Amino acid sequence: QVQLVQSGAEVKKPGASVKVSCGTSGYIFTIHSIHWVRQAPGQRLEWMGWISAGNGNTKYSQKFQGRVTFTRDKSASTAYMELSSLRSEDTAVYYCARAAGMVALDFWGQGTLVTVSS
Amino acid sequence: QSALTQPPSASGSPGQSVTISCTGTSSDVGGYNYVSWYQQHPGKAPKLMIYEVTERPSGVPDRFSGSKSGNTASLTVSGLQAEDEADYYCSSYAGSNIGDVFGTGTKVTVL
């Protein structure tokens, strides 16, 4: 069965970077893109962008452009999201999700809580 | 890119129907047939309920249906059940420059 398993919770200081992993199984990794979505406490879902697991092409939300980097390791069927220059407003649960089609995120990771605090 | 606009809350009694709207612009909801709906229970990851405006993934009950008119998409939940109580988010493709955008979210309460 399709599974996306994310790395554990992180606590970071303002100005630091965080890298979240998203390990996948149960399907051919290179066929689907991986999207990243975050949700601040009590807030709405916020789309961050996607990476093509096949060719590594990326698309970043304008809000995060320049501060976020998506990568993937085909041999490990794993995608990564790195967010730099962290500030308190980046405290959120970060999700990875598999795209079945346009805007159709059919399988999600369990979420990774990133807390930014001095 | 602004979020798509949803009502903050909606409610209905068991067995009734509830409809949630998702209003965007001609650059997102109105411009593409790529609107999805997600259900999210507290502390859980979102679940895809509708994609491409009207399509249901396998395993999603046919009580859930989607539609679109102009710049507004809608999700209807018929025959409300207690387990339908959750937050619901719409999402739309907004073109190659913007990417995807989510709605503001609607909390559905089963009375």
Side-chain angles (χ1 to χ4, degrees):
Chain A
Q1 71 281 24
V2 175
Q3 284 191 310
L4 283 73
V5 179
Q6 299 181 224
S7 49
E10 302 262 14
V11 179
K12 295 291 184 181
K13 293 194 182 303
S17 297
V18 68
K19 190 170 186 176
V20 177
S21 68
C22 174
T24 73
S25 61
Y27 73 97
I28 300 174
F29 179 68
T30 53
I31 288 180
H32 298 267
S33 62
I34 295 290
H35 289 229
W36 291 89
V37 175
R38 79 175 187 180
Q39 187 171 37
Q43 302 301 308
R44 69 177 186 91
L45 300 173
E46 186 172 30
W47 183 77
M48 300 181 70
W50 55 260
I51 180 168
S52 166
N55 61 20
N57 286 351
T58 55
K59 170 64 180 178
Y60 301 120
S61 166
Q62 292 174 353
K63 177 174 179 176
F64 301 100
Q65 188 85 36
R67 217 165 52 96
V68 71
T69 304
F70 302 147
T71 56
R72 93 283 188 229
D73 179 346
K74 290 192 291 183
S75 66
S77 298
T78 298
Y80 302 90
M81 184 281 298
E82 184 168 21
L83 187 62
S84 61
S85 302
L86 289 169
R87 36 208 187 229
S88 59
E89 310 89 89
D90 294 318
T91 293
V93 175
Y94 290 77
Y95 293 102
C96 63
R98 187 186 84 161
M102 296 292 286
V103 203
L105 306 181
D106 61 347
F107 287 92
W108 293 65
Q110 82 276 20
T112 296
L113 175 62
V114 175
T115 303
V116 183
S117 174
S118 55
Chain B
Q1 175 69 18
S2 299
L4 307 174
T5 301
Q6 298 180 233
S9 62
S11 62
S13 299
Q16 290 186 332
S17 294
V18 65
T19 296
I20 305 166
S21 61
C22 169
T23 301
T25 69
S26 58
S27 296
D28 39 62
V29 174
Y32 307 92
N33 286 324
Y34 293 126
V35 176
S36 295
W37 289 91
Y38 298 88
Q39 176 191 68
Q40 187 181 33
H41 288 109
K44 300 295 187 181
K47 176 185 177 183
L48 180 66
M49 306 302 285
I50 296 287
Y51 66 99
E52 292 178 8
V53 180
T54 61
E55 301 300 307
R56 262 189 324 274
S58 61
V60 173
D62 59 7
R63 303 185 292 104
F64 292 85
S65 62
S67 63
K68 191 184 83 167
S69 177
N71 297 336
T72 298
S74 298
L75 173 72
T76 297
V77 185
S78 306
L80 268 174
Q81 299 182 3
E83 60 262 35
D84 299 332
E85 186 162 294
D87 292 327
Y88 291 82
Y89 293 91
C90 62
S91 181
S92 174
Y93 181 62
S96 58
N97 281 345
I98 301 296
D100 299 351
V101 61
F102 278 99
T104 50
T106 299
K107 182 175 181 59
V108 169
T109 301
V110 180
L111 301 171

